[in-house]
Amino acid sequence: MLTRSIEQFRAAWPTLQPDGAGCARAAFLVTPLGFQLAAQSASDNRYMAMDVGVDANLALAEHATLARRVSALLPTVCFPGDPATPDAVFPNNVFATAPGRTVVGRMRHPVRRREAQRPDIRGFFRDVVGYEEVDLSTLDGTAELTGSLVIDRARGIGYCGLGERCDEAGAAAMHAAFGLRLTFCFDLAPGEYHTNVVMSVLAGRALVIAPDGFADPAVAAAIADAYAPRVVRLDAVQKADYAGNCIALSEDTVWMSERAAASLRPAQRAALAEWGFRVEAVALAEIEKAGGSLRCCVGEIY
């Protein structure tokens, strides 16, 4: 089912019991080689810090630490970056996986469409991993994969925020490509570019959500009700600090940047711990100038 109806979502959600893996079995990253800020992306990403300078070497060092930390938990593949594709450090928007298949996204900006044509990443998943390729890059629409689509992998439910980076055609294409049981579509609040900045489903059993990231407060309330009582609600400051851009890379860890982790209140940290999640924080201040944070840097392999 693909729906924009809150009532249909509320009715369908309880029928979809978790029966799949809630966390990835491996990860892939792309290094920030020649790190810079992409002007095209800044046109609809207000989180980018276009008024400050960036340090390419510091970004590389931050990313290397992230790769090392993640690789201690999961098998991790790291592809080289390219100065011609400055946003490639955020690969989850362009390449994503479901069991047995790789999905290639349809990016809004030409600077990002170049990434989708990379033969090495396509070839790795096709020829080495042996996955079927589902190519949405020629789609007559926009579909920025797990930036626009937050997936409860355990239940096969997608939460798709519509806006500049994803339209209804893109939502329908991703629903089919990921083989989802239910995709709940909704409008993001003005100024929000990706759903994974305003919410995250943690291993199918908890939710982090920033209600002001949704155009309709009733949508955020319906999603929160579905996961209650295991819900961390973020305020606008925490959202701006990327606390919503987190990811559960195992059943007992939630990963976010140091900036995001520092924004959490003691009660929120205590709740995550009670639900079985240890916060793993990585310094990403330089990379975050490009308008994304830790979750954006991590591609998942299912």
Side-chain angles (χ1 to χ4, degrees):
M1 177 191 294
L2 180 72
T3 184
R4 290 186 62 123
S5 165
I6 293 175
E7 292 73 21
Q8 288 184 338
F9 167 73
R10 286 187 182 275
W13 196 94
T15 70
L16 302 177
Q17 297 302 310
D19 62 2
C23 302
R25 63 190 181 99
F28 66 96
L29 295 80
V30 176
T31 66
L33 187 64
F35 184 68
Q36 57 184 304
L37 305 185
Q40 286 181 15
S41 297
S43 67
D44 60 355
N45 182 347
R46 63 186 175 87
Y47 293 88
M48 294 179 68
M50 298 301 289
D51 58 341
V52 300
V54 295
D55 185 327
N57 288 331
L58 180 53
L60 280 169
E62 289 178 348
H63 196 269
T65 298
L66 173 64
R68 176 181 56 79
R69 293 273 303 279
V70 173
S71 68
L73 180 70
L74 296 173
T76 303
V77 179
C78 203
F79 295 96
D82 183 342
T85 55
D87 286 326
V89 70
F90 305 132
N92 76 302
N93 306 320
V94 187
F95 297 97
T97 71
R101 72 181 74 106
T102 308
V103 184
V104 183
R106 168 65 173 181
M107 309 305 292
R108 181 187 182 207
H109 297 296
V111 69
R112 299 226 66 186
R113 291 177 195 164
R114 300 173 197 157
E115 298 171 44
Q117 303 310 313
R118 286 188 60 151
D120 58 341
I121 298 180
R122 285 178 179 249
F124 172 78
F125 285 110
R126 182 185 62 244
D127 302 329
V128 178
V129 182
Y131 279 7
E132 171 194 5
E133 183 176 278
V134 181
D135 189 357
L136 306 183
S137 67
T138 59
L139 178 75
D140 186 16
T142 309
E144 297 207 350
L145 301 191
T146 55
S148 297
L149 182 69
V150 170
I151 305 176
D152 180 337
R153 300 279 188 160
R155 292 180 175 80
I157 301 175
Y159 299 95
C160 192
L162 303 179
E164 298 286 354
R165 303 292 185 97
C166 183
D167 54 23
E168 291 189 352
M174 292 192 295
H175 175 77
F178 286 99
L180 298 175
R181 298 168 172 176
L182 168 67
T183 296
F184 184 27
C185 296
F186 44 82
D187 294 325
L188 294 173
E192 300 295 349
Y193 78 108
H194 272 163
T195 314
N196 73 3
V197 177
V198 303
M199 67 172 285
S200 180
V201 176
L202 306 180
R205 69 177 195 271
L207 175 74
V208 177
I209 190 167
D212 77 336
F214 297 76
D216 183 354
V219 168
I223 298 172
D225 288 346
Y227 291 91
R230 293 179 173 178
V231 180
V232 171
R233 291 175 175 82
L234 305 175
D235 61 31
V237 173
Q238 292 176 308
K239 180 189 66 178
D241 283 337
Y242 295 108
N245 196 241
C246 58
I247 183 171
L249 290 178
S250 66
E251 293 288 338
D252 61 352
T253 61
V254 56
W255 292 68
M256 62 187 72
S257 73
E258 284 189 351
R259 173 182 174 185
S263 77
L264 295 178
R265 294 186 287 274
Q268 293 170 324
R269 283 180 170 272
L272 289 169
E274 180 183 348
W275 305 332
F277 293 105
R278 180 179 71 255
V279 175
E280 294 283 352
V282 182
L284 294 173
E286 201 64 22
I287 289 174
E288 286 177 333
K289 293 177 180 179
S293 190
L294 189 144
R295 195 275 170 268
C296 297
C297 291
V298 179
E300 299 165 283
I301 301 177
Y302 279 87

